[in-house]
């Protein structure tokens, strides 16, 4: 969460170009997709809440920043289809609305914007409904195609445009969507080479299907690890073709890890990156207090310690509740333990500066 949106030059956070390449019988086929954060000036300030609010910055510059971003994409890739996967309600909805408004000023014959509310249409398990999105954008894909070289390296077909996909962090929903598009394009390439019949699909070949799923699942995990510190969520659908209880449980663990990394680890890493890249120049101040001189609660408090207290409180509350049927006094003890746990959690939330990363060198900027 330390890097969201775009900078004033139109460069966006977590921008990744993915090229799927196939070699077969001397032929080479390639299909390129890109992803990147919503190209507006916005940020998500880490504040110990699970999902911090989205803050839009300098709204009057949004059309110019978006225009610079997509001008750069059109120079590199040709036509561009921007697929926006974020929710239509809440904070995501407001962000998506600003994105759509900015795009109204710059859409053209070779630049299109398409919104697809991933969570509303697919929920948390029905990702096969992405076929709805594919039907909506298939004309763009057919028109702009893919690269195909024959045995002599001669160009038989050229990719004339690119699909740019985004969600909020451009990881989980984006991974599932890009793998769906890539699967359909690979099937089209195999039909063009005469390997597949008109109605034949990758799913009808178990070995190929498994290899494709593993390839894209690993790809999604690699991007997610370098940006968030954990493997991608919803990876079980990409890897197995369906949602599984094991995958849902793994998503829960990774979501908690992301929360921890965002609030207590990533800020320091981002400071180091900014320092090395010259975005921040150190200036010595006489008012700076060495960390070694900090005392009191701040010297010993830490998030793991607070978490252990909270979990211990709930553990004893649960034990007491199990004994209520034998002795009503345990109900009182359960309330006491639960109350202590809630009080500690509230204290951690209210005094987040004690447990969070040290103060930032500057506000987050892409």
């Amino acid at each position: 969460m330390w890097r969201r949106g775009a900078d004033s030059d139109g460069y966006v956070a977590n921008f990744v170009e993915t090229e799927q390449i196939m070699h077969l019988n001397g032929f080479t086929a390639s299909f390129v997709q890109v992803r990147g954060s919503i190209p507006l000036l916005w940020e998500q300030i880490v504040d110990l809440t699970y999902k911090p609010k989205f803050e839009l910055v300098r709204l009057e510059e949004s059309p110019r920043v978006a225009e610079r971003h997509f001008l750069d994409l059109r120079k590199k890739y040709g036509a561009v289809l921007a697929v926006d996967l974020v929710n239509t309600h809440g904070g995501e909805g407001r962000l998506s609305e600003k994105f759509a408004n900015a795009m109204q000023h710059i859409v053209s014959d070779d630049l299109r914007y398409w919104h697809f509310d991933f969570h509303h249409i697919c929920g948390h398990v029905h990702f096969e409904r992405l076929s709805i999105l594919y039907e909506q954008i298939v004309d763009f894909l057919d028109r702009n195609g893919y690269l195909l070289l024959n045995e002599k390296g001669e160009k038989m077909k050229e990719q004339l445009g690119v699909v740019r996909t985004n969600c909020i962090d451009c990881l989980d929903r984006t991974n599932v969507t890009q793998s769906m598009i890539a699967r359909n394009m690979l099937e089209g390439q195999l039909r063009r080479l005469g390997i597949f019949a008109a109605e034949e699909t990758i799913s009808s070949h178990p070995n190929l299907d498994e290899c494709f799923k593993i390839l894209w699942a690993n790809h999604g995990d690699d991007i997610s690890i370098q940006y968030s510190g954990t493997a991608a969520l919803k990876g079980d659908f990409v890897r197995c073709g369906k949602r599984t209880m094991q995958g849902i449980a793994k998503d829960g663990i990774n979501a908690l890890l992301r929360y921890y990394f965002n609030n207590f680890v990533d800020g320091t890493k981002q400071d180091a990156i900014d320092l090395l890249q010259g975005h921040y120049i150190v200036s010595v101040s006489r008012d700076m207090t060495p960390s070694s001189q900090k005392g009191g609660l701040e010297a010993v408090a830490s998030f793991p310690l607070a978490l252990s207290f909270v979990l211990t409180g709930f553990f004893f509350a649960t034990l007491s509740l199990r004994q209520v049927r034998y002795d009503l006094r345990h109900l009182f003890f359960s309330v006491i333990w639960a109350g202590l746990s809630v009080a500690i959690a509230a204290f951690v939330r209210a005094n987040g500066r004690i447990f969070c990363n040290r103060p930032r060198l500057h506000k987050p900027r892409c």
Side-chain angles (χ1 to χ4, degrees):
M1 294 182 185
W2 293 103
R3 280 297 177 271
R4 297 295 206 214
D7 63 11
S8 56
D9 293 322
Y11 296 111
V12 297
N14 202 22
F15 184 85
V16 181
E17 177 192 277
T18 300
E19 183 173 12
Q20 177 179 276
I21 303 173
M22 177 190 67
H23 297 288
L24 180 65
N25 299 336
F27 290 86
T28 300
S30 161
F31 178 66
V32 173
Q33 301 182 76
V34 296
R35 70 179 72 190
S37 191
I38 294 177
L40 303 177
L41 299 174
W42 64 281
E43 56 193 21
Q44 210 171 357
I45 303 298
V46 175
D47 60 1
L48 288 180
T49 57
Y50 179 72
K51 194 172 183 179
K53 293 181 180 179
F54 306 108
E55 300 289 344
L56 286 156
V57 184
R58 303 199 300 275
L59 279 174
E60 69 280 359
E61 296 186 31
S62 294
R64 180 187 62 80
V65 171
E67 183 177 15
R68 294 194 67 169
H69 174 74
F70 283 103
L71 178 62
D72 183 54
L73 291 187
R74 288 158 64 189
K75 287 180 179 179
K76 291 180 180 177
Y77 301 106
V80 178
L81 171 61
V83 176
D84 183 15
L85 302 175
V86 304
N87 301 341
T88 54
H89 61 274
E92 289 192 15
R94 290 189 292 273
L95 191 60
S96 178
E97 181 183 0
K98 297 301 182 183
F99 186 19
N101 291 340
M103 293 298 294
Q104 287 180 358
H105 301 283
I106 57 176
V107 290
S108 61
D109 292 339
D110 57 354
L111 175 59
R112 291 174 51 192
Y113 170 83
W114 193 265
H115 181 261
F116 182 84
D117 190 333
F118 186 103
H119 283 153
H120 176 72
I121 297 174
C122 300
H124 295 286
V125 293
H126 298 292
F127 297 159
E128 71 280 355
R129 294 176 183 170
L130 279 171
S131 59
I132 298 173
L133 172 62
Y134 183 75
E135 293 300 322
Q136 294 170 342
I137 65 174
V138 66
D139 60 324
F140 179 90
L141 295 170
D142 289 343
R143 185 167 61 253
N144 292 282
Y146 51 84
L147 176 68
L148 182 63
L149 306 178
N150 62 18
E151 302 97 321
K152 299 179 180 179
E154 298 170 338
K155 190 182 300 182
M156 300 174 60
K157 189 176 177 65
E158 183 177 6
Q159 184 171 345
L160 303 175
V162 70
V163 176
R164 180 202 191 275
T165 309
N166 75 265
C167 47
I168 290 298
D169 53 15
C170 303
L171 294 178
D172 313 315
R173 287 172 280 185
T174 298
N175 289 332
V176 177
T177 302
Q178 284 198 341
S179 68
M180 176 275 296
I181 297 174
R183 173 183 287 262
N184 282 279
M185 296 305 293
L186 180 58
E187 289 172 348
Q189 292 166 352
L190 291 170
R191 293 187 189 105
R192 172 67 183 270
L193 295 177
I195 306 299
F196 274 9
E199 302 300 323
E200 200 169 357
T201 64
I202 294 174
S203 300
S204 59
H205 299 270
N207 290 337
L208 176 59
D209 188 43
E210 182 179 6
C211 288
F212 181 88
K213 290 174 181 175
I214 292 174
L215 178 72
W216 271 91
N218 291 344
H219 171 64
D221 285 345
D222 287 342
I223 295 175
S224 181
I225 288 170
Q226 65 86 24
Y227 186 59
S228 72
T230 75
L233 307 186
K234 305 176 179 68
D236 55 333
F237 180 81
V238 180
R239 193 176 297 274
C240 305
K242 61 180 180 180
R243 293 246 65 182
T244 63
M245 289 304 299
Q246 182 180 1
I248 294 173
K250 185 179 178 182
D251 283 357
I253 294 173
N254 284 334
L256 290 175
L257 285 173
R258 286 185 182 182
Y259 173 83
Y260 175 74
F261 290 150
N262 275 320
N263 284 281
F264 308 103
V265 177
D266 290 345
T268 304
K269 291 182 179 179
Q270 189 62 58
D271 282 346
I273 293 173
D274 290 338
L275 188 63
L276 289 172
Q277 292 185 331
H279 295 315
Y280 178 79
I281 300 175
V282 176
S283 59
V284 179
S285 172
R286 295 180 180 179
D287 296 330
M288 293 177 62
T289 302
S291 58
S292 60
Q293 295 180 7
K294 293 179 180 179
L297 180 62
E298 189 170 357
V300 297
S302 66
F303 174 75
L305 181 63
L307 181 61
S308 66
F309 283 143
V310 173
L311 293 179
T312 300
F314 279 116
F315 173 73
F316 283 112
T318 303
L319 289 181
S320 297
L321 279 175
R322 296 181 65 180
Q323 300 298 321
V324 167
R325 57 181 175 176
Y326 304 114
D327 190 341
L328 285 176
R329 288 180 301 176
H330 284 287
L331 179 60
F332 172 75
F333 293 126
S334 298
V335 173
I336 293 297
W337 282 113
L340 286 173
S341 301
V342 172
I344 293 173
F347 176 79
V348 172
R349 174 66 183 87
N351 297 273
R353 63 183 180 82
I354 295 177
F355 302 100
C356 223
N357 282 311
R358 60 183 175 75
R360 300 286 295 125
L361 295 176
H362 60 84
K363 290 184 178 180
R365 183 189 69 178
C366 179

